[in-house]
């Protein structure tokens, strides 16, 4: 079974290792490789799909590359990360565009914080699955 039972034991070393790898991947994909077109475009009311797909595609490629390098049988984790990242970023973009949230608003920063927390929780969840299924 791919998901660990609640009573299962997960290696702390493996969990920390996966968290570090997936957090580093997230920082690279979300901050170093995301350009202005992606960052601004995915939060627009119209024309958001291509920038969002490009941004999430970067996550797909990097996560899949990490999986192929470290745990090839889990190559599909890249697809899971892509879908979850797409849903989180679209929800944030929808809120930004439909409620006219600007960077001057506290709501913008709350959305950014929530977005990043959800991405890190995704990394944690994937790390638990990977650590429990070596």
């Amino acid at each position: 079974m791919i998901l660990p039972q609640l009573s299962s034991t997960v290696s702390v070393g493996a969990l920390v290792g996966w968290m570090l790898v997936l957090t580093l991947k997230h920082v690279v994909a979300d901050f170093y490789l995301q350009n202005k077109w992606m960052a601004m475009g995915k939060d627009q009311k119209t024309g958001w799909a291509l920038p969002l797909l490009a941004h999430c595609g970067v996550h797909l490629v990097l996560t899949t590359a990490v999986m192929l390098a470290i745990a090839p049988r889990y190559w599909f984790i890249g697809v899971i990360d892509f879908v979850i990242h797409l849903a989180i970023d679209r929800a944030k973009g929808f809120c930004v565009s439909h409620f006219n949230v600007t960077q001057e608003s506290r709501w913008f920063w709350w959305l950014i914080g929530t977005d990043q927390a959800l991405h890190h929780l995704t990394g944690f969840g994937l790390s638990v699955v990977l650590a429990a299924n070596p």
Side-chain angles (χ1 to χ4, degrees):
M1 180 161 126
I2 193 165
L3 295 176
Q5 295 179 3
L6 291 177
S7 62
S8 69
T9 301
V10 175
S11 165
V12 173
L15 180 62
V16 170
W18 280 114
M19 278 300 302
L20 289 172
V21 167
L22 292 177
T23 298
L24 178 61
K25 184 281 310 178
H26 178 80
V27 169
V28 170
D30 242 29
F31 297 99
Y32 297 126
L33 298 180
Q34 181 173 206
N35 60 32
K36 184 178 180 180
W37 172 74
M38 292 176 198
M40 302 299 283
K42 67 184 182 171
D43 287 349
Q44 299 304 308
K45 202 169 232 178
T46 61
W48 54 265
L50 194 55
L52 177 62
L53 288 171
H55 170 63
C56 293
V58 170
H59 282 276
L60 171 67
V61 168
L62 290 183
T63 304
T64 302
V66 166
M67 291 301 115
L68 290 173
I70 300 173
R73 72 182 181 139
Y74 293 115
W75 63 268
F76 59 88
I77 295 290
V79 177
I80 294 169
D81 190 37
F82 171 83
V83 171
I84 294 171
H85 205 95
L86 186 79
I88 293 168
D89 279 14
R90 182 59 199 131
K92 180 186 66 81
F94 180 87
C95 290
V96 167
S97 64
H98 284 76
F99 298 110
N100 299 315
V101 178
T102 65
Q103 290 184 7
E104 290 77 31
S105 167
R106 69 182 166 145
W107 294 103
F108 179 82
W109 299 104
W110 286 11
L111 285 170
I112 292 288
T114 302
D115 169 87
Q116 289 302 302
L118 291 171
H119 291 316
H120 290 292
L121 284 172
T122 300
F124 178 72
L126 294 174
S127 295
V128 168
V129 169
L130 291 163
N133 297 282

